[in-house]
Amino acid sequence: MTLLAPRTASVRTRPNPEIADWVDDIARLTTPDEVVWVDGSTAEWDRLTKEMVAQGTLIRLNPEWRPNSFLARSDPADVARVEDRTFICSVDPDDAGPTNNWRAPSIMRLELSELFSRSMRGRTMYVIPFSMGPVGGDLSQFGVQITDSPYVVASMALMTRVGDDALQAMTPGTPWVPALHSVGVPLIDDNGVRRDDTAWPHNETKYICHFPETREIWSFGSGYGGNALLGKKCFALRIASVMARDEGWMAEHMLIVRVTSPEKKVFHLAAAFPSACGKTNLAMLAPTIPGWKVETIGDDIAWMRPGPDGRLRAINPERGFFGVAPGTGPSTNPTATQTIWGNTIFTNVALRDDGDVWWEGLTDSPPAHATDWEGNDWTPASGTRAAHPNGRFTVTADQCPSIADEWNSPDGVVIDAILFGGRRPSTVPLVSQARSWQQGVFMGATMASETTAAATGEVGRLRHDPFAMLPFAGYNMADYFAHWIAMGELLGDKAPQIFSVNWFRTDADGRFIWPGFSENARVIEWIVGRLEGDLAARATPIGGLPLAHELNLEGLSVGVDEIQAIIDLDKPAWQREAAAIAEYFGTFDETRFPAELRRELDRLTRDLGPDVTPS
Ligand code: GTP
Ligand code: SPV
Ligand code: MN
């Protein structure tokens, strides 16, 4: 029988008894060889990365090209978030709602307890105290993650504020979220026989479970991204969205940027785009148009709360970026390219023969030879991808050359505008402005986007992804819509303006019409022009649209006709869209669904007029 797991001497702060008791309980359940408290120090990083290199989990990159950086290759069966294995375990299934997978908490707990039982045999159990947001900030929250994956420990150390500062601040009575994670591969079997570890242990059975009432996370079987770095999607979105609903704030899948105009006026924008739809890129935008400056505050998640002046303030609860590598290069995102100069963990990208990394889009011409993300020989003639489409870099935000001074401010920044966008090859115009908060919420609620490699499953399938939160809302989506309506009422005339954007319209050959990336600054310029009241908009049923001559297209190689087509209202397409929205709204419980959104749909349908296009 295993008794209490020993505590190592690495911890300088005595954990509060509630944390210590939970850790003891989990150690009793999972029976690791030892328990290590993570302190977030450089020495710890060095020790862990060295151990992982020796073990085969990490490859040290050539320090001449990429100092203190590593490549991890995951198991090909563990490469992205697993939405079909993600569960909201509320007591009442209606509190999870029609867009979430649900399991009864008592049953799920039993099943998980069986899976976690002795799941860490032969391994080290790490305890990671962490803060989402600056430690002790009014908008910040605490968590403690337990994991048996050193890769997760090193990644959490880049992505969140981990270690003694957070632990010390968690005094008795301070709320904290317990987040339990195991890759689910014990190294000692039931007969006591030890087996060798693999480079990327994971279990075929995966469960990413959230208990909204008790604010707990249990994640089993995966070591990848949002499945395993539990501060990110599990806590900062699924659990935090429940806290936010109860406490009158918002936890959103949004980037945050600080924009300075040529007149030196400062604006802050938050933007919700679904996974792998351009948040990191917009967050690091390097404007092509003169006089404009964009600085980064966050690239994935925003926590927003009305401040003392009644205006919405936002923090980035994270401390690093877990960014999509493919497509990231000096021509698309020079800022990200500079950010990852060193101290970076790369996952599922290719290894060059000179010991640096490579992926599609990093350079115009591929290396003549490389080792692909699965460890196979690769040449441009291979006909396969060198990097996995969801290959990623993990790096701290403070390495980003465009990081704003305010990114670490516990009070956050005042949000002037909120943008919603997705991958829409047709229908949704380049940019439109909601006439009201209610229409803005309608824009968010009716977002749809093509699926990407950020989650397992089919890529390129158009699906509804309201507020880019489909996989991340921790409660009933209809209640979430109602919460947005309620926040608008709370904010009143101090509420941010809301816009819809779409960088992804395609032509008959399937090519993107809008050049995107740095050129998105032109759309930001139009949005700021609207905030300032300097520019006009054509009122249409889908919101205010730009006048072509007021959109700065100087120096763009795209034809005016092509631009006109993506900034106009495509009426037949919108008539079809309105019908699809009506059907979608019908999937929600009538009694929970906000009347405001139905009114918006009625108004849209009426204003578009009858569908006269022959089908
Ligand atoms: P998550 O981290 O999964 O939440 O993704 P994200 O929303 O931060 O997306 P990211 O900025 O990493 O972009 C994902 C992919 O979309 C990358 O391959 C980018 O190159 C591509 N992309 C981003 N912005 C644009 C754009 O303006 N136009 C086009 N055509 N592609 C873009
Ligand atoms: C996303 O899928 O939206 C991500 C990557 O940001 S993950 O952390 O895996 O969720
Ligand atoms: Mn994301």
Side-chain angles (χ1 to χ4, degrees), residues 81 225-226 232-233 253 275 300 322 392 454 472:
R81 284 186 295 101
K232 200 173 179 54
K233 297 310 181 8
H253 193 200
S275 302
D300 198 51
F322 181 61
R392 297 215 173 218
F472 307 123

Side-chain angles (χ1 to χ4, degrees), residues 280-407:
T280 301
N281 277 269
L282 188 61
M284 299 180 184
L285 181 93
T288 41
I289 47 175
W292 289 82
K293 184 158 129 188
V294 173
E295 292 166 281
T296 312
I297 291 180
D299 84 322
D300 198 51
I301 298 175
W303 283 357
M304 308 193 287
R305 194 192 287 258
D309 60 356
R311 299 193 65 194
L312 195 60
R313 301 192 76 98
I315 63 161
N316 166 16
E318 300 190 276
R319 173 191 177 236
F321 309 126
F322 181 61
V324 177
T328 304
S331 59
T332 55
N333 191 345
T335 314
T337 314
Q338 289 161 38
T339 305
I340 55 182
W341 63 268
N343 310 318
T344 304
I345 298 177
F346 298 89
T347 307
N348 289 350
V349 302
L351 180 66
R352 293 170 51 112
D353 295 346
D354 63 4
D356 198 2
V357 282
W358 190 80
W359 51 77
E360 284 76 7
L362 179 60
T363 53
D364 289 339
S365 42
H369 177 268
T371 308
D372 74 11
W373 68 276
E374 293 190 82
N376 303 314
D377 269 334
W378 182 92
T379 73
S382 297
T384 54
R385 298 186 61 132
H388 186 277
N390 194 39
R392 297 215 173 218
F393 54 81
T394 311
V395 66
T396 56
D398 56 11
Q399 281 193 198
C400 178
S402 65
I403 200 78
D405 290 341
E406 296 74 14
W407 88 275

Side-chain angles (χ1 to χ4, degrees), residues 274 276-281 300 326 392 423 503-504 512 516-517 520:
C277 290
K279 286 183 302 301
T280 301
N281 277 269
D300 198 51
R392 297 215 173 218
R423 280 177 192 265
W503 317 143
F504 297 97
F512 293 120
F517 301 104
N520 294 331

